[in-house]
Amino acid sequence: MRRLLLVGALSLAMSTTALAQTGYQQPPAPIAQILDSKPTPVPLIDPTRSRMALLERANLPAIAELAEPDLKLAGYRINPRNNGQANSRVQWLTGLSLQDVAGGKARTVLLAAGTRFTAPSWSPDGQRLAFLVDRPSGLELWVVDAATGKARKLTQPIVNAAATGAAFAWMPDSRSILVRAVPAGRGPAPSVQATPVPIVQVNEGRTAPVRTYQDLLKNSGDERLFDHYFTAQPLLVSIADGSSRKVGTPGVYLGLSPSPDGKYLLMTRAKRPYSYNVPAALFPTEVVVTDLTGRTVKQLADLPLRDDVPPQFDAVAPGPRSAQWRADKPATVAWVEAQDGGDARRKVEVRDRLLELAAPFTGSPRTLVDMKDRYAGVVWGKDDVAYLETQWWNDRRETRMLLNPAAGTAKVLLTRNFQDRYNDPGEPVTTLNAAGRPVLLFGADGRSIFQSGAGARREGEFPFVDRVDLAGGQATRVWQSAVPYYEDVVAVLDNEGKRLVTRRESRTEPPNLYLRTVGAGDPRPLTQFPDPAPQLAGVTQQLITYKRKDGVDLSGTLYLPAGYNKERDGPLPLIMWAYPTEYTDPKVAGQVVDTDNRFTRPGGISHLFLLTQGYAVLDDPKMPIVGADGKEANDTYIEQLTSSAEAAVDAVVKLGVASRDRIAVGGHSYGAFMTANLLAHSDLFRTGIARSGAYNRTLTPFGFQAEQRTYWEAVDTYTKMSPFTYAPKIKEPILLIHGEADDNSGTFPVQSERFYAALKGAGANVRYVVLPYEAHGYRARESVGHTLWEMTSWLDRYLKPAKK
């Protein structure tokens, strides 16, 4: 009997496995045809603001590209074949053309068939465009002459692009390029197939909480591989003939930048001992200024391992950070130092200090400004003007200031909640100076600067350009997009803020580039990119608004299939696709922005493709989690989440486009976490789709999403927020999808694996799909098509049929 039972169990297991292993499937028409359409090119304006490069993007890559071996080292994913980023992290470009901003025909740059490249960068004088070309044995540096359109190779496949940030940088004279290169004679990668030895980590009483990181070093073999692939030799490569000379010695360079006068280099070098608990950015690090021979002129910082930074979002590592060249000075380096030890919980008057030191770097650092909150960035302008931003995450506070670097004073322009879309002043407009560095664009009078923003209001987003008076800080509107268009600013071409390159679209017109002269009538079209998915032209969209029980205003965009008629067709099966967000102000949480002037076409794994299969979609129904008056938002996460979902269901049912028994819920990442919680804690939905989520918060004990408390500080909240805790309560069918190589912090694939096991153990109706080689977002054509097939097949089975 036992043998018979075992045989029966094995037969059942084999049958179940066979059903699950169906291979890659294609989504139904017309989804597959839309997926294979050519992406719209993107522009890159040159520093002279007279010419632009139009960059053609690769379509979804084949799974064979993602299957190419990669290495996961110290928070990076690299391709050992070309010593660059892994294919899952590169958006390859496939074509290039040059066009005058004034208009005229674009000139195609001839590249060999099959060429793919990345990282395009204009020279400071705008005469050449450099980029990296992928070759079987590495990455080559190429340049295109803007006048002739001819491309030529500068180096052999020696560029080391393993570390993030620029693998090359133009020198200010536009005659040479600083390159991180693979050291000559490096040889093959070290063998890591050694006899296994115990891995021992020790902590003797030091408090060192660490958030969950992916792709860390695991053993001494990984350390050797990290040294092999990340060690680079800085080279200066001549544009004239491709000749090169070494700058200094090889090292693990995580940052490499020439000064605006081209006489010095700012280098960030990682060094041992490495860590198995944090990524390379937190390894022991040396920040130095060198001359062009590589001789150290000034050591700015010698930072230890930083594996003990508190988990709060406003916490930082002690010591110098954010080192950078002042863009408006020949050779002045600026950096920030925390004055509270980096501990956000300490009560102090000054949090951060911005300092600078000018060449020859022999004096003492000079304080530019003390900040009450954390440094969030600076845009340099000239001796007496820079634009400074600070933030404090805990209450979502942002302060904008005009900094006078010469005097060491700062004038506050405004303080605001940075989640407040209605009152967002935008960001300062920049231009590239002679050294190719971004600096503030000043008005022709020299007494004003410009800001450009989204212009969000109840009726929609209407991007704008403002002139800001430097004396009083008042903003005067120069131009703003108007109904029925969404017209975003790509570049401001003059010192009056009146000649603009914009990207314009409407509900029915696809995005295209235009040259606009403010006050001179209609803009002149520069491109004529077609609708990438005309099959969706008949889809309708409508902003709907409603209230939560506690009075918080909510909204979502309702999409209905082409040709739908409510009186004739009645309620449709509908899916809500959402992503919760935390707020500190209920009024900001309830802000409504229409999308009526946007051209909506789905791509990738978008849920909007379901519109082609007869489903209605409520896109981004707001799920705010509000922690007002200092209260912790997540302590009432479940209550607020279910209340928001209930209000959304009531709204679509009241409109007559959906019925209560045929509504699904879905989401990606934190939206997947939301989906599982809604199925566990409500009876609002018939089924759910959860992609690449996290479901057990004990696996992220030092904080997650906007939660800053550790598990031990909020055990009850972590437990109640975890749908894993309530797996037996999930009675509705749920589809789980996860990338096998998820690289997002907190959403390890084990989250879906163990959640599936819990659901299966509780007798749930669950399907679990693992996508080979895919990271947090899915990129391969096969994976994207299969994901959309899974979603449509699931909903066709569990949502589309009316209940009997």
Side-chain angles (χ1 to χ4, degrees), residues 229-301:
Y229 286 105
F230 284 78
T231 297
Q233 170 65 63
L235 297 179
L236 277 174
V237 179
S238 169
I239 296 300
D241 58 9
S243 61
S244 65
R245 68 175 179 86
K246 295 179 181 179
V247 179
T249 58
V252 179
Y253 294 99
L254 303 182
L256 193 60
S257 171
S259 60
D261 65 1
K263 296 180 180 179
Y264 301 95
L265 302 178
L266 181 60
M267 296 182 171
T268 301
R269 294 189 290 236
K271 59 183 184 178
R272 289 178 177 268
Y274 299 150
S275 171
Y276 298 173
N277 297 312
V278 294
L282 296 174
F283 286 0
T285 303
E286 185 182 25
V287 183
V288 299
V289 175
T290 75
D291 61 20
L292 294 189
T293 70
R295 179 182 65 89
T296 297
V297 176
K298 177 69 177 180
Q299 183 185 70
L300 295 176

Side-chain angles (χ1 to χ4, degrees), residues 366-388:
R366 174 173 170 265
T367 297
L368 292 181
V369 66
D370 284 337
M371 293 163 276
K372 295 181 179 180
D373 295 326
R374 286 283 178 243
Y375 167 83
V378 63
V379 182
W380 304 103
K382 53 185 180 180
D383 282 345
D384 59 348
V385 181
Y387 194 101
L388 177 69

Side-chain angles (χ1 to χ4, degrees), residues 739-798:
E740 177 190 45
D742 195 325
D743 56 349
N744 183 56
S745 177
T747 55
F748 299 98
V750 71
Q751 289 273 4
S752 287
E753 176 189 326
R754 301 317 302 158
F755 190 44
Y756 170 72
L759 291 167
K760 182 171 174 284
N765 186 347
V766 56
R767 180 178 175 88
Y768 174 35
V769 180
V770 180
L771 299 172
Y773 308 112
E774 291 292 352
H776 192 57
Y778 320 145
R779 294 200 58 203
R781 172 62 177 81
E782 292 88 340
S783 303
V784 170
H786 186 81
T787 296
L788 295 171
W789 176 82
E790 291 281 359
M791 292 170 61
T792 54
S793 299
W794 187 261
L795 295 180
D796 283 352
R797 181 176 182 182
Y798 291 111

Side-chain angles (χ1 to χ4, degrees), residues 528-541:
Q528 294 180 332
F529 302 137
D531 183 346
Q535 301 94 327
L536 291 164
V539 166
T540 62
Q541 65 188 72

